[in-house]
Amino acid sequence: MNQSLQAFVDRKLVARLSRRTLEWLCEHEREFAISRVPEDAVPWQVKPLAELMFLLTALQRHGLGGGALRRLSDTALAEAGKFDWHELAAYDPSAATGMALTADFFRSQQRPAPFDERFFAFLNRLGYFEGMDRLPFRDMDLAYNLSRVVSPEFEKDIPIWFRSTAFGRRQHIVRYTIDDVYSLTHAVFYLTDLGLRSPETLLDIGAAARLRGELTTLTAAFLRADNTDVLGELLLCWLFCGVERAGLNRVIFRHGMRQMMAAVVEGAVAPTAKLFHRAREGSASFHQLYHTTLVGAFLFNLLSQTDSYAIN
Amino acid sequence: MQSTELISQLFSTCFAESLRLLEGFEAAPTSASLFDVGAVAEMVVLGEAIPGSELLQQAICDAAARWLRSGILEDLCMLRMEVLSHAALLAYLARRATDYSAADIAVIKRLCTGRLLGRSEMPVLTQQLTAAYFARCGIDSDFGDMGSRDLARIIDKRILRARSDEYDVMAVLLCAQLLQLEGHLICSRPTRYPRALLVQAIRTDNSNWVPVLAYACAHSFSLDEPLRGAALKYLLRNLPQPGELLPPPAGAGIDSEYIVQAGRGLRIRSTLALAFALCTLGDTYVEARASVAIG
């Protein structure tokens, strides 16, 4: 009886937080605008907007809609439409991923990309984007986005790059650095097409089983860490990989969710306890909060609005 | 000959400065100072066949062996995975120490075999180079699939970029080391980008980069006669004062998750590269021009 009552309360809370986090993103929509930071190596700050577009495309592909998402999409379309992506591309080959992701978002909104796609295709044909020694999960990122907008042929590179990631190299579970965990969570995003295909589509059964096992163990480890950004991404991976939520796994997932829910302050999701207090005092910046809030919004919305992921 | 005097003087300066660097690291070993030592070691390993730097080479090899024995290297590797490639290079150099024994590498070997070292996410070329150095130290762990990359494309396609930074010089040096170790396994060698970067360094008056790139091109890639002459002319016009090092590169002190290099290591690296370049970029020309330059 107590368990079903708790499940009911959790479902209600997740539904409320899914709305509240989207409201926070709407309230701060102007801060996703691309800013110019002349002293940085790449003087345009496109990451927040690119990550917002990534979330919006993913939620739309999962069949989620609504007023807040429409409003955020309109903002993203307007902001991305104003920016000169050609200049960014010429400046840095790492722009490839952001541009492909942008084109994907615009397509999802039935709009042409905000740059000349022939220029992008030309740079790609020229091998310009290959002139980098990226981290393997960043190569997966590029292959995934190119498979979405250029040709499905690029999909075959995803499992190849995966073999060179920390997980692919059989990193010891106790030695995962924060960067290694981000590599794993992002790799899962691309392998599973954000939950729209099973990991077994691109991995063999053994590797997929090991993947689910390590996700569970790492999530348990991060229950004791003060980092809801990574924790949120790990919980998303549970959904995307279909990690079974029974027995001990159920306990781990539930505690993870509790931490995520507890980290919400005024609609933002605070990545650490320190920032939680600063957010409550109103002194945390947009840049300190936006990423974890995107992660939280993704997690809460999938759980509350997609039957296959439903909590409990 | 004057040219020999000049080169000897450069080697002496590098030796004295390197000893200070090694002592500083030994007194307070940090991952940042290991990057400094690593920057020098990268150039030492590329110039190992050049006579004149034996004392410096031996000092680094002996120090590396001491650090292996005392556990300093494995401690730093356990703390920060980013230092692993430099630790692998130093372990490789340690084998030439006068008192090296196979037992010195035993702990790192066990940590690699036990998957506690060497598995973190790194760019693929860094993974390959680290594994190649460790393999030569008798660490034959399977570090997992490193994939196959077309070295020429990764390096040469950088020519299309609108800007260059210290990462590009590092990539060229990393590639040069890979070619030195495993050149027989690499089908396509980069040629264009290292030369283009050298031209850019000359045109932008980057006296830290020119000797590094000139020597790297001559040693590992290619350097045609006109560019060789231009590089040499530039080097002889930009010699450091006696007892001084070349200046740091513009914008040095890059600090990121993957690079922590202070100016000192980069200054020794470049001054050493200058000595190597003067030794190799056409002897008769060196002699004649050096005489003029310091006459």
Side-chain angles (χ1 to χ4, degrees):
Chain A
M1 181 62 186
N2 272 349
Q3 269 196 0
S4 56
L5 185 63
Q6 186 62 55
F8 176 76
V9 171
D10 282 352
R11 272 201 303 274
K12 285 282 184 200
L13 187 55
V14 167
R16 190 166 67 78
L17 294 178
S18 68
R19 286 190 300 275
R20 194 62 198 95
T21 46
L22 289 180
E23 282 165 17
W24 187 91
L25 294 172
C26 288
E27 286 158 17
H28 293 81
E29 61 187 349
R30 287 187 180 283
E31 292 175 79
F32 282 100
I34 295 169
S35 55
R36 204 180 152 81
V37 190
E39 64 271 18
D40 281 7
V42 179
W44 300 278
Q45 185 64 260
V46 299
K47 197 165 168 269
L49 183 64
E51 285 164 340
L52 176 65
M53 290 189 283
F54 183 74
L55 172 72
L56 294 169
T57 310
L59 289 179
Q60 199 217 39
R61 293 182 67 214
H62 277 278
L64 273 64
L69 291 177
R70 268 197 304 279
R71 178 175 159 182
L72 287 168
S73 296
D74 289 344
T75 303
L77 286 168
E79 283 301 329
K82 283 192 293 196
F83 183 63
D84 186 353
W85 296 92
H86 308 91
E87 191 179 3
L88 178 69
Y91 197 79
D92 197 301
S94 64
T97 308
M99 288 175 77
L101 181 158
T102 302
D104 194 21
F105 169 68
F106 272 66
R107 273 186 199 176
S108 76
Q109 303 292 318
Q110 288 83 48
R111 302 281 185 91
F115 49 82
D116 189 339
E117 290 195 57
R118 289 169 304 177
F119 177 64
F120 182 81
F122 167 71
L123 291 178
N124 191 37
R125 260 200 322 278
L126 217 57
Y128 173 65
F129 300 140
E130 293 171 52
M132 276 189 85
D133 189 17
R134 293 180 178 83
L135 288 168
F137 88 91
R138 292 289 179 204
D139 272 312
M140 289 180 74
D141 191 0
L142 179 59
Y144 171 76
N145 283 292
L146 290 177
S147 77
R148 295 274 310 144
V149 297
V150 177
S151 160
E153 275 291 295
F154 286 96
E155 208 166 78
K156 69 177 188 321
D157 293 333
I158 295 174
I160 295 172
W161 289 126
F162 187 54
R163 293 202 288 268
S164 304
T165 62
F167 176 89
R169 304 176 80 205
R170 292 185 169 267
Q171 171 68 301
H172 199 292
I173 195 77
V174 303
R175 292 287 292 152
Y176 268 83
T177 63
I178 295 282
D179 288 337
D180 290 340
V181 184
Y182 276 119
S183 151
L184 181 60
T185 56
H186 284 237
V188 167
F189 295 172
Y190 314 131
L191 281 167
T192 65
D193 192 13
L194 297 159
L196 295 167
R197 68 177 162 230
S198 131
E200 281 83 355
T201 312
L202 296 178
L203 297 180
D204 62 58
I205 294 170
R210 186 165 73 87
L211 178 62
R212 291 188 178 97
E214 295 210 354
L215 282 172
T216 313
T217 311
L218 288 168
T219 308
F222 272 87
L223 289 179
R224 302 193 60 192
D226 180 21
N227 190 333
T228 44
D229 199 70
V230 175
L231 181 64
E233 290 202 3
L234 283 166
L235 293 171
L236 279 169
C237 292
W238 281 58
L239 309 185
F240 298 160
C241 289
V243 178
E244 203 175 317
R245 282 179 261 158
L248 180 60
N249 280 8
R250 184 186 175 85
V251 177
I252 294 169
F253 187 79
R254 179 175 288 176
H255 279 282
M257 283 306 299
R258 292 268 160 78
Q259 282 202 20
M260 291 303 293
M261 291 188 277
V264 180
V265 49
E266 304 291 336
V269 186
T272 62
K274 188 176 174 185
L275 282 170
F276 178 87
H277 293 295
R278 289 179 62 178
R280 207 160 54 177
E281 291 161 1
S283 61
S285 72
F286 169 78
H287 284 280
Q288 288 169 326
L289 298 174
Y290 87 88
H291 187 267
T292 316
T293 307
L294 290 172
V295 172
F298 200 175
L299 181 67
F300 297 140
N301 278 277
L302 284 184
L303 281 169
S304 65
Q305 297 194 38
T306 307
D307 289 341
S308 56
Y309 295 143
I311 192 166
N312 301 307
Chain B
M1 281 188 300
Q2 299 242 34
S3 59
T4 310
E5 280 176 34
L6 167 65
I7 292 165
S8 301
Q9 188 188 86
L10 290 169
F11 278 137
S12 299
T13 305
C14 291
F15 179 61
E17 289 293 328
S18 297
L19 282 186
R20 282 179 51 205
L21 193 69
L22 299 176
E23 284 164 11
F25 176 79
E26 221 154 270
T30 63
S31 50
S33 52
L34 186 59
F35 274 96
D36 255 338
V37 174
V40 180
E42 277 182 324
M43 194 47 67
V44 164
V45 82
L46 287 173
E48 58 192 354
I50 295 178
S53 64
E54 294 86 354
L55 279 177
L56 170 55
Q57 285 185 36
Q58 199 57 51
I60 291 196
C61 295
D62 289 346
R66 279 198 307 279
W67 301 339
L68 265 184
R69 266 195 303 279
S70 65
I72 290 175
L73 290 184
E74 71 236 23
D75 276 355
L76 290 174
C77 289
M78 291 298 280
L79 284 172
R80 281 197 68 174
M81 73 86 186
E82 293 90 342
V83 302
L84 189 71
S85 60
H86 284 315
L89 166 58
L90 289 169
Y92 170 78
L93 289 171
R95 297 171 315 137
R96 296 177 205 161
T98 41
D99 55 352
Y100 178 78
S101 106
D104 296 344
I105 194 82
V107 175
I108 287 192
K109 190 173 180 176
R110 281 202 297 272
L111 290 170
C112 289
T113 308
R115 295 191 291 123
L116 294 168
L117 270 189
R119 311 286 167 153
S120 274
E121 192 96 344
M122 286 182 264
V124 177
L125 295 187
T126 312
Q127 288 183 23
Q128 283 181 350
L129 185 62
T130 304
Y133 277 132
F134 274 150
R136 279 151 187 83
C137 298
I139 300 174
D140 295 320
S141 295
D142 171 14
F143 287 103
D145 191 335
M146 285 169 272
S148 58
R149 300 291 297 263
D150 183 335
L151 208 53
R153 276 184 93 75
I154 294 177
I155 300 296
D156 278 344
K157 289 295 177 184
R158 287 169 192 252
I159 208 166
L160 300 167
R161 289 190 189 185
R163 68 190 175 95
S164 306
D165 56 28
E166 187 61 33
Y167 285 97
D168 295 307
V169 178
M170 286 180 64
V172 168
L173 289 178
L174 190 149
C175 182
Q177 291 171 76
L178 259 180
L179 287 170
Q180 179 165 285
L181 282 175
E182 303 197 324
H184 58 292
L185 300 174
I186 295 165
C187 312
S188 55
R189 297 169 83 93
T191 53
R192 292 184 186 88
Y193 184 66
R195 281 184 294 162
L197 199 55
L198 173 58
V199 171
Q200 185 194 328
I202 293 172
R203 288 175 61 104
T204 55
D205 195 16
N206 191 329
S207 59
N208 185 281
W209 283 10
V210 174
V212 174
L213 294 164
Y215 178 65
C217 285
H219 177 264
S220 312
F221 306 104
S222 65
L223 193 58
D224 46 31
E225 201 47 49
L227 186 53
R228 179 184 291 257
L232 196 51
K233 198 168 162 185
Y234 179 92
L235 295 177
L236 291 169
R237 280 185 181 163
N238 290 276
L239 294 170
Q241 292 295 316
E244 297 277 315
L245 295 170
L246 285 168
I254 293 169
D255 187 359
S256 80
E257 291 166 275
Y258 304 106
I259 304 178
V260 185
Q261 285 189 332
R264 200 155 149 229
L266 297 181
R267 292 180 68 191
I268 301 173
R269 173 195 77 177
S270 297
T271 312
L272 190 55
L274 172 63
F276 290 157
L278 292 178
C279 286
T280 51
L281 299 188
D283 287 336
T284 52
Y285 195 78
V286 171
E287 287 165 20
R289 299 300 297 188
S291 302
V292 172
I294 63 170

